[in-house]
Amino acid sequence: SRLFMFLIAIVLAITVILATYYYRQKVVFKKRFEALMKKSIKPAKTKKSNTELDISKEIVTEILNRLNKFEEKRGYLNASVTLNSLAKQFQTNSSYLSKVLNFHKRLNFAQYLNHLRVNYAYEKIEQDPNIRKFTIEAIACECGYKNAASFSRSFYQIIGIYPSFFIKELNKINT
């Protein structure tokens, strides 16, 4: 009987701890969501000088122009885009492209793609109620990710909340 009471007390304590943790996470995500609704996501800032790059100014300018076109045409939505394939497409080498991204965008190639894709997903989810009906996996594929887990992880790292929570809160506001 004592052992049974002890086990019930432990289970009850664990349940209370988990419920408190869940409630606290929900409050934190709710605050982050409200902050997101008050401000827009800022794109990565670019630096103006080329002093530390060992690449000619013309090549840097050309790469930056092509990156702008890449962003405008939403080439980042292609799940098979890689640093090497993009460098080939830009008719430059991957080292130059990587250096320009690191210096001007302050992001490596993977981070750059993730920022573009997540910002696209954020805007799409916020503006289009129909996309909110899709599964997270379908949204991930639409944004260029190969699986839902990496999309959710990237979305959380950049935005601060998970896409499922974001969609749920937007649906609450719009109903």
Side-chain angles (χ1 to χ4, degrees):
S1 155
R2 277 188 165 181
L3 179 63
F4 182 71
M5 294 299 279
F6 181 70
L7 289 174
I8 288 179
I10 288 175
V11 168
L12 186 60
I14 290 172
T15 305
V16 168
I17 290 169
L18 289 175
T20 304
Y21 175 77
Y22 174 75
Y23 175 76
R24 189 168 182 274
Q25 282 295 95
K26 194 171 183 178
V27 168
V28 167
F29 287 163
K30 184 74 171 171
K31 286 181 183 178
R32 289 179 183 169
F33 175 78
E34 289 168 359
L36 278 173
M37 292 294 99
K38 291 179 184 173
K39 66 175 181 148
S40 63
I41 299 173
K42 307 258 193 251
K45 295 179 182 176
T46 60
K47 271 188 166 178
K48 296 295 179 196
S49 70
N50 297 333
T51 55
E52 294 181 21
L53 283 176
D54 295 331
I55 307 170
S56 74
K57 196 172 188 174
E58 294 79 25
I59 293 174
V60 171
T61 304
E62 184 63 28
I63 290 173
L64 288 172
N65 288 337
R66 290 178 186 215
L67 282 171
N68 286 334
K69 288 178 186 173
F70 173 74
E71 291 173 18
E72 288 171 8
K73 291 182 179 180
R74 295 187 174 141
Y76 51 86
L77 297 179
N78 181 350
S80 63
V81 70
T82 64
L83 180 65
N84 289 330
S85 69
L86 194 59
K88 264 186 189 172
Q89 184 181 332
F90 288 0
Q91 297 174 345
T92 187
N93 65 44
S94 58
S95 176
Y96 284 2
L97 178 57
S98 180
K99 284 180 181 181
V100 169
L101 282 171
N102 288 327
F103 188 78
H104 287 277
K105 303 289 185 180
R106 297 184 188 149
L107 300 167
N108 67 34
F109 184 72
Q111 292 168 333
Y112 172 70
L113 280 181
N114 284 335
H115 273 79
L116 291 173
R117 289 171 175 171
V118 166
N119 287 337
Y120 174 79
Y122 174 84
E123 290 171 5
K124 198 83 163 145
I125 291 168
E126 185 179 38
Q127 296 168 0
D128 186 2
N130 292 327
I131 202 155
R132 295 181 210 150
K133 296 174 185 172
F134 293 4
T135 64
I136 298 299
E137 190 168 355
I139 295 171
C141 288
E142 175 104 4
C143 297
Y145 284 92
K146 293 182 180 174
N147 62 57
S150 60
F151 169 65
S152 290
R153 187 173 40 255
S154 295
F155 196 94
Y156 179 79
Q157 288 173 344
I158 294 167
I159 305 297
I161 58 177
Y162 289 101
S164 55
F165 184 83
F166 182 58
I167 291 168
K168 186 171 76 172
E169 292 300 311
L170 282 174
N171 286 336
K172 282 182 188 176
I173 289 172
N174 294 330
T175 53

